[in-house]
């Protein structure tokens, strides 16, 4: 896992000193190649031991391993002057970054939960709601009972009607969206299984989850003009959709819905 993904994954456990180190490293990626841990400790004004602890905390074995990972991510995110190439490279970076969070085991587990549920409620507010709508659109075309909600009041009401054999899928990049957290609390009280798709572990929302799926944050692209927050979630959707359509019954249902649209539209 690259440097930025590790910072994202372990964000909740980072101290103020760790965040000071992180901020310096991200701002000076190009110049640290030949720096020793002593050099950096003097420049950041922290002890060498603090940097060593920081490396261990984000799961690097050594300072050198951390440094090479950071240098690699700097090269990976190098911009091209042409807009097309710049945005293309950002897409490549985000997809590659998000891929590091997924495993075959976890995506298969989620597919099994979807296959064995009675009803699915997808939820999200704002940009996360767009991903929730898209996932729902794909799922109900496969003949699975599902619905998506992006209004806070509707979300609370519909969550209260969920039952033990249902599934709530929450999309929240920050994990701090109050209506989504409240809906997850209601669902858990009803013994509903909760899946959370988010950028960060150890949030109020992930504490309520039966399954947490981490996706990369677009904010780690160092360009304020690039604002695509849906891409990591859509990448996950494509993976799950592809696996679901391995099932003949779901593919048959999808073909029937497409045939109806083509015939009568």
């Amino acid at each position: 896992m690259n440097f930025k993904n590790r910072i994202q994954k372990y964000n909740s456990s980072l101290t103020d000193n760790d965040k000071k180190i992180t901020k310096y490293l991200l701002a000076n990626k190009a110049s640290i190649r030949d720096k020793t841990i002593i050099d950096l400790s003097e420049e950041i004004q922290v002890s060498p031991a603090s940097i060593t602890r920081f490396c261990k905390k984000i799961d690097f074995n050594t300072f050198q391993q951390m440094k090479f990972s950071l240098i690699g991510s700097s090269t990976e995110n190098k911009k091209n002057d042409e807009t097309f190439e710049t945005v293309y490279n950002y897409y490549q970076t985000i997809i590659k970054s998000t891929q590091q969070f997924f495993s075959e085991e976890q995506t298969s587990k989620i597919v099994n939960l979807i296959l064995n549920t009675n009803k699915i409620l997808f939820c999200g507010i704002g940009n996360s709601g767009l991903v929730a709508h898209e996932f729902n659109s794909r799922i109900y075309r496969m003949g699975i009972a599902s619905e998506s909600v992006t209004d806070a009041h509707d979300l609370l009401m519909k969550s209260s009607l969920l039952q033990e054999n249902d599934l709530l899928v929450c999309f929240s990049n920050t994990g701090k969206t109050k209506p989504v957290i409240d809906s997850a609390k209601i669902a858990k009280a009803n013994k509903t299984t909760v899946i959370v798709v988010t950028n960060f572990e150890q949030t109020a929302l992930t504490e309520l989850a039966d399954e947490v799926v981490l996706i990369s944050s677009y904010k780690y692209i160092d360009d304020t003009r690039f604002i695509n927050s849906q891409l990591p979630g859509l990448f996950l959707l494509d993976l799950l959709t592809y696996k679901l359509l391995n099932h003949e019954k779901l593919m048959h249902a999808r073909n029937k819905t497409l045939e109806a649209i083509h015939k009568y539209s």
Side-chain angles (χ1 to χ4, degrees):
M1 187 176 290
N2 65 30
F3 181 85
K4 289 182 177 179
N5 277 355
R6 290 170 195 252
I7 294 300
Q8 178 180 322
K9 180 174 182 179
Y10 299 108
N11 182 268
S12 61
S13 65
L14 297 182
T15 64
D16 289 342
N17 221 29
D18 295 328
K19 291 175 182 178
K20 180 180 179 181
I21 295 170
T22 300
K23 184 177 180 180
Y24 182 89
L25 292 174
L26 290 174
N28 297 275
K29 289 181 286 189
S31 66
I32 71 163
R33 181 184 299 272
D34 300 317
K35 298 284 178 68
T36 67
I37 194 169
I38 301 297
D39 294 332
L40 284 177
S41 69
E42 292 174 352
E43 291 175 11
I44 305 173
Q45 295 185 327
V46 296
S47 68
S50 294
I51 297 177
T52 299
R53 284 194 296 270
F54 168 75
C55 294
K56 297 289 186 182
K57 189 174 290 185
I58 60 174
D59 207 21
F60 285 113
N61 292 325
T62 64
F63 167 72
Q64 289 296 330
Q65 188 182 44
M66 180 279 293
K67 189 168 72 168
F68 291 144
S69 176
L70 182 62
I71 293 168
S73 68
S74 175
T75 303
E76 184 179 290
N77 289 331
K78 187 177 180 181
K79 299 176 185 176
N80 189 296
D81 289 337
E82 297 296 326
T83 301
F84 179 88
E85 289 296 325
T86 297
V87 174
Y88 173 79
N89 287 334
Y90 289 164
Y91 268 58
Q92 292 284 89
T93 297
I94 287 177
I95 290 174
K96 185 176 180 181
S97 175
T98 300
Q99 185 181 14
Q100 294 183 3
F101 286 118
F102 300 154
S103 69
E104 180 70 21
E105 180 182 5
Q106 186 179 41
T107 52
S108 295
K109 182 178 180 180
I110 294 169
V111 165
N112 286 331
L113 287 172
I114 292 172
L115 291 173
N116 292 292
T117 193
N118 179 48
K119 180 178 67 179
I120 307 174
L121 182 64
F122 296 99
C123 71
I125 304 296
N127 287 330
S128 296
L130 299 177
V131 183
H133 273 318
E134 176 61 22
F135 206 168
N136 177 60
S137 176
R138 298 185 189 192
I139 290 295
Y140 74 67
R141 292 186 184 202
M142 299 179 198
I144 298 172
S146 68
E147 188 176 4
S148 60
V149 187
T150 60
D151 176 81
H153 287 171
D154 284 349
L155 180 52
L156 296 175
M157 289 187 289
K158 290 180 180 179
S159 295
S160 71
L161 299 175
L162 293 173
Q163 300 178 9
E164 186 172 356
N165 293 325
D166 295 334
L167 181 63
L168 177 67
V169 182
C170 303
F171 293 89
S172 172
N173 288 333
T174 63
K176 298 178 180 179
T177 311
K178 189 177 186 304
V180 178
I181 294 170
D182 290 341
S183 70
K185 288 178 180 178
I186 293 170
K188 290 301 292 181
N190 293 339
K191 299 183 179 180
T192 303
T193 300
V194 176
I195 297 175
V196 170
V197 182
T198 185
N199 293 159
F200 305 105
E201 289 183 325
Q202 298 180 13
T203 64
L205 183 57
T206 58
E207 288 178 0
L208 298 164
D210 296 287
E211 190 71 28
V212 177
V213 186
L214 291 179
I215 57 175
S216 184
S217 172
Y218 79 100
K219 292 183 180 180
Y220 286 104
I221 295 292
D222 187 21
D223 188 335
T224 55
R225 291 178 296 169
F226 186 79
I227 56 173
N228 187 331
S229 62
Q230 291 92 44
L231 182 60
L234 292 174
F235 180 43
L236 170 65
L237 265 55
D238 283 336
L239 288 176
L240 296 176
T241 301
Y242 195 86
K243 292 174 78 71
L244 284 165
L245 289 175
N246 279 328
H247 294 264
E248 186 176 347
K249 180 181 177 181
L250 300 186
M251 177 62 86
H252 178 69
R254 180 178 181 277
N255 288 338
K256 285 185 67 176
T257 59
L258 290 176
E259 183 181 346
I261 291 171
H262 292 156
K263 185 175 180 179
Y264 295 102
S265 62

